[in-house]
């Protein structure tokens, strides 16, 4: 069932190039669905030299026939979404109730969530997570707490919204004053502001999971667009240095409201090296000339926050774990062009701890691991003009083949530049591309 569908997820710590891959696959799809996270995501698509950075709106929006869905699993930030929609419209992109649908069950990031994110990080000092300050963790916390949550559907009924906002702000003001000595929030002003957002968003809000289940039954082609990366998953990532949602393919059914058999082909996006933004373990990090060189060639600065990303060699041991966890059927390998010019390229093929080989990757036990590296020959040629696998220099072909062996999956697509056209179609089994 649903073999025609595609799920695109990140296999590292986010920013793997999911936006570009979603854009490459979306033209054959009827629905593109975000199911996890919120405006912490920054997905870049470059079309005809124009760069689009999407945070809450699915990347399918750049294809005129696609229905774009913000699923129930998203934490939705109305002012950020409205600004993004206005920016897209200014650039001539159609964004209306007939091609963008927001779940009434999605939770709303409220001003107190962003405030709490910032205050909590500041109070943690050196122990901070390094969040994107988008209020993600506090909003998901309130979702789990239930009685202090606001959902998108609540924005549409001003009296319901006002009652909730007044009650919740009273609680938050007391907590923030006690913990952080913070100034009180103005509940009336917030209720009025968010009721206005509700009026603007009303044409987009609907029961998206019912829409998707109908699409599943009707055999329509759906693409599920992952946010973040598997190593940032709340359950399976490098806790507590993670985000607050289920970002792997395991999160799709819950976050979109579809049966687990709807996932279709699972495309795992991975960079040809590793990066991470924010704090937390990163065994292959190269805080040296190698890392600096990758950062400059790969323009490794955050799409959402502009922060420099930490850079290092590919950790194939961790990627294999992520691929196994999500049942990845094929890899989309991105940013291979960035590695041109290195004499040698290292790949981490396993870990050792306390003098012993580590058998299973364990995100709980990363303290004190040492990386076991394999060294492969590099190549000098620029790759961006390559259109076929056989156009790649032999050393680059060998690198790709070694990744397939280490991760245990075929490489379907290879990214050799940021543009829509800079993709080599290799061994993909995704319908319409193979
Ligand atoms: P996402 O969050 O997974 O969608 O990734 P981001 O958009 O945050 O970061 C990926 C960055 O790499 C963006 O600037 C993309 O334009 C860029 N990019 C994606 N694929 C390639 C590629 O194959 N080569 C190069 N040079 N850049 C790429
Ligand atoms: P995309 O979809 C990279 C990271 C943050 C921080 C941690 C927690 O563009 O790949 P949060 O604000 O979610 O509470 O921050 O997660 N993070 C990302 N890193 N890409 C992302 O999204 C990220 N979303 C969250 O840097 O370390
Ligand atoms: Mg990103």
């Amino acid at each position: 069932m649903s073999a025609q569908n595609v799920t695109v997820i990140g296999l590292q710590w986010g920013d793997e190039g999911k936006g570009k891959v979603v854009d490459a696959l979306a033209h054959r799809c009827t629905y593109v669905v975000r199911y996890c996270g919120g405006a912490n995501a920054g997905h870049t698509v470059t079309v005809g030299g124009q760069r689009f950075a999407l945070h809450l709106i699915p990347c399918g929006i750049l294809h005129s026939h696609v229905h774009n869905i913000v699923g129930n699993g998203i934490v939705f930030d109305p002012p950020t979404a409205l600004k993004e929609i206005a920016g897209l419209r200014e650039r001539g992109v159609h964004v209306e109730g007939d091609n963008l649908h927001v779940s009434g069950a999605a939770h709303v990031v409220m001003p107190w969530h962003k405030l709490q994110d910032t205050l909590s990080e500041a109070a943690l000092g050196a122990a901070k997570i390094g969040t994107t300050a988008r209020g993600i963790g506090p909003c998901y916390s309130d979702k789990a707490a239930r009685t202090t949550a606001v959902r998108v559907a609540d924005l549409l009924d001003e009296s319901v919204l006002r009652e909730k906002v007044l009650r919740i702000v009273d609680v938050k003001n007391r907590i923030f004053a006690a913990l952080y000595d913070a100034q009180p929030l103005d509940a009336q002003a917030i209720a009025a502001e968010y009721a206005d957002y509700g009026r603007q968003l009303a044409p987009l809000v609907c029961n998206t999971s019912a829409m998707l289940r109908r699409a599943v039954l009707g055999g329509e082609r759906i693409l599920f667009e992952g946010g973040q990366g598997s190593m940032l998953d709340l359950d399976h990532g490098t806790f507590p240095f993670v985000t607050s949602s289920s970002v792997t393919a395991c999160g799709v059914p819950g976050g979109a409201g579809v049966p687990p058999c709807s996932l279709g082909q699972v495309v795992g996006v991975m960079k040809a090296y590793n990066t991470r933004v924010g704090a937390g373990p990163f065994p292959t990090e190269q805080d040296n000339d190698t890392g600096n060189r990758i950062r400059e060639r790969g323009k490794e600065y955050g799409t959402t926050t502009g922060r420099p990303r930490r850079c290092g060699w590919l950790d194939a041991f961790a990627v294999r774990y992520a691929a196994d966890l999500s049942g990845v059927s094929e890899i989309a390998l991105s940013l291979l062009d960035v590695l041109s010019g290195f004499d040698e390229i290292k790949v981490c093929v396993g870990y050792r701890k306390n003098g012993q080989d580590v058998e299973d990757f364990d995100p709980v036990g990363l303290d004190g691991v040492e990386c076991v590296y394999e060294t492969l020959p590099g190549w000098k040629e620029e790759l961006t003009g390559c259109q076929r696998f056989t156009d790649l220099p032999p050393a680059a072909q060998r690198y790709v083949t070694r990744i397939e062996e280490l991760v245990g999956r075929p490489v379907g697509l290879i990214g050799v530049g940021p543009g829509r056209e800079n993709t080599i179609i290799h061994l993909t089994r995704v319908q319409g591309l193979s």
Side-chain angles (χ1 to χ4, degrees):
M1 189 182 170
S2 305
Q4 76 284 358
N5 293 345
V6 196
T7 295
V8 176
I9 57 151
L11 295 179
Q12 294 156 317
W13 277 287
D15 303 327
E16 296 90 348
K18 298 176 292 296
K20 187 186 157 196
V21 172
V22 169
D23 175 67
L25 304 181
H27 69 287
R28 297 279 178 150
C29 299
T30 312
Y31 293 87
V32 174
V33 187
R34 280 280 308 274
Y35 62 90
C36 68
N40 50 350
H43 296 178
T44 315
V45 181
T46 306
V47 191
Q50 275 203 73
R51 187 174 174 276
F52 294 86
L54 296 149
H55 301 283
L56 275 163
I57 311 301
C59 290
I61 202 75
L62 302 175
H63 296 267
S64 56
H65 67 283
V66 170
H67 287 278
N68 294 275
I69 301 221
V70 176
N72 57 278
I74 293 289
V75 286
F76 190 75
D77 181 345
T80 303
L82 287 165
K83 201 169 148 210
E84 197 170 323
I85 292 168
L88 286 164
R89 285 178 181 156
E90 269 170 32
R91 296 173 77 179
V93 181
H94 177 85
V95 192
E96 300 293 344
D98 59 356
N99 72 334
L100 177 62
H101 314 283
V102 179
S103 170
H107 282 249
V108 181
V109 177
M110 297 297 289
W112 50 85
H113 294 133
K114 292 188 225 184
L115 181 63
Q116 188 184 343
D117 204 347
T118 307
L119 292 172
S120 153
E121 286 280 275
L124 282 165
K128 71 178 179 186
I129 294 171
T131 71
T132 58
R134 298 297 187 270
I136 306 294
C139 186
Y140 279 118
S141 303
D142 276 335
K143 174 178 179 177
R146 294 155 295 165
T147 53
T148 44
V150 177
R151 297 201 291 176
V152 167
D154 298 328
L155 301 177
L156 307 187
D157 184 328
E158 191 160 357
S159 64
V160 168
L161 179 66
R162 186 168 301 276
E163 180 278 317
K164 284 200 172 184
V165 169
L166 295 189
R167 183 172 47 75
I168 298 168
V169 167
D170 180 49
V171 175
K172 299 289 177 188
N173 277 345
R174 283 189 274 158
I175 295 173
F176 295 168
L179 289 181
Y180 311 113
D181 204 16
Q183 293 298 308
L185 294 163
D186 181 344
Q188 293 289 358
I190 293 172
E193 182 185 342
Y194 279 70
D196 182 48
Y197 296 144
R199 282 187 283 277
Q200 295 181 61
L201 291 165
L204 311 178
V205 179
C206 62
N207 181 351
T208 56
S209 54
M211 191 184 247
L212 286 172
R213 284 193 299 276
R214 244 194 313 278
V216 168
L217 288 175
E220 305 248 40
R221 194 162 189 210
I222 308 171
L223 188 157
F224 299 100
E225 174 179 351
Q228 293 73 53
S230 303
M231 306 305 288
L232 289 169
D233 185 83
L234 180 59
D235 284 278
H236 304 290
T238 51
F239 191 92
F241 301 101
V242 293
T243 192
S244 301
S245 66
S246 182
V247 306
T248 69
C250 312
V252 171
V258 294
C261 56
S262 315
L263 268 61
Q265 300 275 333
V266 181
V267 176
V269 188
M270 61 180 283
K271 292 182 177 184
Y273 46 90
N274 263 87
T275 63
R276 168 162 212 170
V277 208
F282 180 178
T284 61
E285 182 168 16
Q286 300 296 306
D287 191 9
N288 53 30
D289 285 351
T290 298
N292 294 342
R293 184 183 171 136
I294 292 174
R295 184 176 311 105
E296 292 319 310
R297 270 191 67 88
K299 302 191 176 63
E300 293 292 358
Y301 295 88
T303 309
T304 298
T305 59
R307 288 180 289 178
R309 295 175 182 148
R310 298 159 65 192
C311 298
W313 295 120
L314 175 62
D315 188 340
F317 191 50
V319 170
R320 169 101 204 200
Y321 156 77
D324 288 347
L325 177 63
S326 282
V328 161
S329 40
E330 67 182 60
I331 294 165
L333 179 67
S334 63
L335 295 125
L336 185 63
D337 52 303
V338 172
L339 292 184
S340 292
F342 280 103
D343 293 330
E344 290 182 329
I345 296 173
K346 290 189 174 185
V347 187
C348 171
V349 297
Y351 297 158
R352 283 177 72 77
K353 191 168 178 175
N354 302 324
Q356 309 257 311
D357 286 343
V358 173
E359 192 180 341
D360 293 312
F361 180 93
D362 181 2
V364 176
L366 289 181
D367 276 353
V369 296
E370 286 167 45
C371 295
V372 179
Y373 285 107
E374 197 173 285
T375 303
L376 287 104
W379 59 90
K380 295 282 175 238
E381 299 87 336
E382 292 293 344
L383 306 186
T384 298
C386 297
Q387 293 181 338
R388 287 174 299 269
F389 183 68
T390 47
D391 295 340
L392 294 172
Q397 292 187 23
R398 184 161 163 214
Y399 187 62
V400 173
T401 307
R402 187 67 186 126
I403 289 172
E404 291 181 322
E405 289 165 5
L406 291 168
V407 183
R409 269 86 188 167
V411 168
L413 303 174
I414 304 170
V416 289
R420 205 181 240 181
E421 64 287 1
N422 305 133
T423 302
I424 297 175
I425 314 271
H426 187 37
L427 301 176
T428 189
R429 285 176 290 190
V430 175
Q431 284 177 20
L433 281 181
S434 47

